[in-house]
Amino acid sequence: MAQASFIASEKQFIQMKKKNIQEQGLWGVFLLIGIAIIVSCKSSVNHAGIVVNNPSSFDRKELVEIPYKTFSQVYTAEAPFRIIDENSEELTYQLVRNGEEKIDHVLIWVDIPANDDIKLFVEAGEPTPVEARTYARYVPERFDDFAWENDKVAFRMYGKALEGRADDAHGTDIWAKRTDRPVIDEWYKTDDYHKDHGEGLDYYAVGMTLGAGDIAPFVDDKISYSKHYREHELLENGPLRSTFKLTYEPWEVGDRTVSVTKNITLEAGSQLNKVEVTYSFEGEDPLPVVAGIVLREEDGGKIIQRKDNGIAAYWEPGHGDDGTLGVAVVTPEEIVKIFEGEGQLLTQFEASSGKPMVYYNGGAWDKAGEITSAEAWEHYLTQYQEKIKNPLTITIQ
C-alpha cells in the first residue's frame, strides 16, 4: 500500500506540473522529465527480488541454489535474463537441468558478508559470457579414466581398461593445481602431468586404496573393493557446477551381493566434492561402509579426527619440491567411528539399501597459496561443515 500511495501522489504531482509547462517553457520540460526518471527509479528499486541471507559468522563466497519454481516468482519470461545486485553489478549463474530438458534449479555465485544479506534482481537481457570454472569428462584415451576439476583442484576415478595392468589403482586420485584455469585436457594431451610446469601436477599415490576419500563396504574388518566403474553419465558440466554419475557392477560382499552408484558434484570455489552414494543389496540389515584416506609411511603428517563435527582429515608429510597435500572426508551423516586400518584413515557409516547417503571428499595443496598448514586445513573444513549445516537462505521480496 505504501508503494501504491507513493506512486499515486507522484502522478498527481506530475499532473500539477504539466499545467505550468507552457509558462516555464523548455525548463519545465526538463523538470517533468527529471521527475519521471526519479519516479521510475524509485519504483524499480521496490520491484520483487531475491534476498539471500548468510547466517554464518564469517564471510561466504559460494553458490546459492534456488529451485526454479521459486525463481519463477521473480522472472517468468522465456527470454534470456541477467541477474544483478542492488549496485547493478551482474552476477554469474547456471541453469541446472540434472540431465533433463526442464530447468530444475538456478545456481548463482554470491559474495555475502558475515550475518548479512544481499538482494538480487532479474532483468531481461543477454548475460555476459563467462569462462567455465568447473569441467568433467570421460577420458577413453587414458584407460577409461573419468576426470573432473574446478578452479581449485582436480580429480579422477579409474575405469575398466586399467584393471589388471601393472599401474592399476583403485580409489579417488587428486591432482594438485595452482591455477584457476582448466588443465585436464592439456595435461592428458601432453601426458606430462607428473611434473610441475608452473600450474601443478599429479604426484598423489593412490595404489590399491581408497585414495583421497573414495568409499567401499567394510565387512569382517576388511575393506571390500569393487571393480572400477562400468558406466558414466555426465549430468551437468559448468560453468559453475559439474555433476556426473558412475555405476559399478555388482560384487560379493560377505554373504550379500552389493551394487553401487555414485553421483559426484564439484562446484566452483570448493576444495571438496559432494558425493551421493546409493548402495543396493538384499536384506534389512545396514551395510557397514568406510570412506578412506591413504596414510603415508613418511614422518611429519598430521591426522585430524573430529567425530562430533563429522571431519576426518590428513595433512600429509611434505613431498620434497612437490609441496604438501591436505585430504579430507566431511559428512553430515552419523559416523560410527573414525579409525586407522589397512594403512588408511577410515570413517565408518552405515548404508541402507536404496537410500542415498551424502559425504564430501577432496583436498588442498599448499603451493596453491591459500591453505598452507594443517591448522589452516582444519579451519577450512570446520567452516565447510558449518556451510553444510547452515546453508544460505532465500526469500522473495
Side-chain angles (χ1 to χ4, degrees), residues 237-258:
N237 207 8
L240 300 176
R241 173 193 284 177
S242 293
T243 301
F244 58 95
K245 178 180 180 180
L246 301 180
T247 302
Y248 297 73
E249 68 179 31
W251 76 108
E252 297 304 312
V253 179
D255 59 355
R256 289 188 277 191
T257 300
V258 174

Side-chain angles (χ1 to χ4, degrees), residues 181-229:
R181 74 176 194 87
V183 299
I184 284 175
D185 284 346
E186 181 179 332
W187 287 13
Y188 273 117
K189 183 177 180 180
T190 61
D191 195 25
D192 188 23
Y193 49 83
H194 294 291
K195 182 178 180 180
D196 185 6
H197 297 283
E199 294 184 327
L201 75 162
D202 171 26
Y203 76 85
Y204 189 75
V206 178
M208 300 305 291
T209 73
L210 295 171
D214 198 9
I215 193 168
F218 187 74
V219 177
D220 297 328
D221 296 325
K222 184 178 180 181
I223 299 173
S224 178
Y225 294 96
S226 68
K227 293 182 178 180
H228 298 327
Y229 80 88

Side-chain angles (χ1 to χ4, degrees), residues 53-56 60 62 385-393:
N53 176 261
N54 173 10
S56 303
R60 292 172 63 165
E62 61 191 90
Q385 183 67 285
E386 163 73 14
K387 293 178 182 180
I388 296 171
K389 294 178 178 179
N390 297 284
L392 301 174
T393 60

Side-chain angles (χ1 to χ4, degrees), residues 64-349:
V64 61
E65 184 175 61
I66 303 175
Y68 192 65
K69 183 177 180 180
T70 301
F71 184 83
S72 297
Q73 298 177 37
V74 177
Y75 189 80
T76 58
E78 295 184 2
F81 60 86
R82 300 167 69 243
I83 299 176
I84 60 173
D85 63 17
E86 292 178 287
N87 297 316
S88 297
E89 294 290 332
E90 186 176 1
L91 281 73
T92 305
Y93 70 88
Q94 176 181 336
L95 302 179
V96 176
R97 292 180 168 84
N98 291 321
E100 306 292 338
E101 292 186 6
K102 187 177 180 181
I103 299 172
D104 189 53
H105 286 80
V106 179
L107 298 176
I108 308 172
W109 180 261
V110 295
D111 181 349
I112 311 180
N115 301 123
D116 203 352
D117 55 45
I118 59 173
K119 191 170 186 179
L120 309 179
F121 303 95
V122 186
E123 62 180 20
E126 290 287 345
T128 301
V130 296
E131 294 185 2
R133 296 173 61 188
T134 67
Y135 176 63
R137 80 171 177 95
Y138 169 56
V139 191
E141 68 270 29
R142 222 304 297 198
F143 306 112
D144 296 337
D145 284 357
F146 198 98
W148 67 103
E149 66 181 315
N150 66 0
D151 47 357
K152 301 293 183 181
V153 64
F155 305 89
R156 67 173 165 180
M157 297 286 274
Y158 302 112
K160 181 179 180 180
L162 194 67
E163 288 177 355
R165 290 176 49 87
D167 56 349
D168 194 7
H170 185 84
T172 303
D173 189 21
I174 182 171
W175 289 3
K177 283 180 61 174
R178 52 177 167 177
T179 177
D180 59 4
R181 74 176 194 87
V183 299
I184 284 175
D185 284 346
E186 181 179 332
W187 287 13
Y188 273 117
K189 183 177 180 180
T190 61
D191 195 25
D192 188 23
Y193 49 83
H194 294 291
K195 182 178 180 180
D196 185 6
H197 297 283
E199 294 184 327
L201 75 162
D202 171 26
Y203 76 85
Y204 189 75
V206 178
M208 300 305 291
T209 73
L210 295 171
D214 198 9
I215 193 168
F218 187 74
V219 177
D220 297 328
D221 296 325
K222 184 178 180 181
I223 299 173
S224 178
Y225 294 96
S226 68
K227 293 182 178 180
H228 298 327
Y229 80 88
R230 292 298 188 256
E231 298 177 8
H232 66 275
E233 182 181 1
L234 187 57
L235 303 175
E236 298 289 335
N237 207 8
L240 300 176
R241 173 193 284 177
S242 293
T243 301
F244 58 95
K245 178 180 180 180
L246 301 180
T247 302
Y248 297 73
E249 68 179 31
W251 76 108
E252 297 304 312
V253 179
D255 59 355
R256 289 188 277 191
T257 300
V258 174
S259 60
V260 64
T261 61
K262 301 172 184 176
N263 278 42
I264 300 176
T265 298
L266 183 61
E267 297 184 344
S270 177
Q271 304 289 156
L272 305 181
N273 303 290
K274 178 182 179 181
V275 185
E276 183 180 274
V277 187
T278 305
Y279 283 97
S280 298
F281 49 86
E282 295 293 331
E284 299 293 330
D285 293 336
L287 177 70
V289 297
V290 288
I293 300 169
V294 60
L295 300 174
R296 306 304 176 192
E297 296 181 357
E298 299 88 349
D299 295 331
K302 182 178 180 180
I303 293 174
I304 302 167
Q305 297 185 43
R306 302 289 181 267
K307 179 177 179 293
D308 292 342
N309 204 22
I311 296 173
Y314 184 45
W315 188 254
E316 292 195 332
H319 197 261
D321 293 338
D322 294 332
T324 304
L325 276 166
V327 187
V329 167
V330 177
T331 181
E333 302 279 349
E334 183 177 351
I335 295 175
V336 176
K337 60 179 177 179
I338 301 174
F339 63 103
E340 293 181 40
E342 301 185 37
Q344 302 172 68
L345 181 64
L346 302 174
T347 302
Q348 183 174 334
F349 318 96

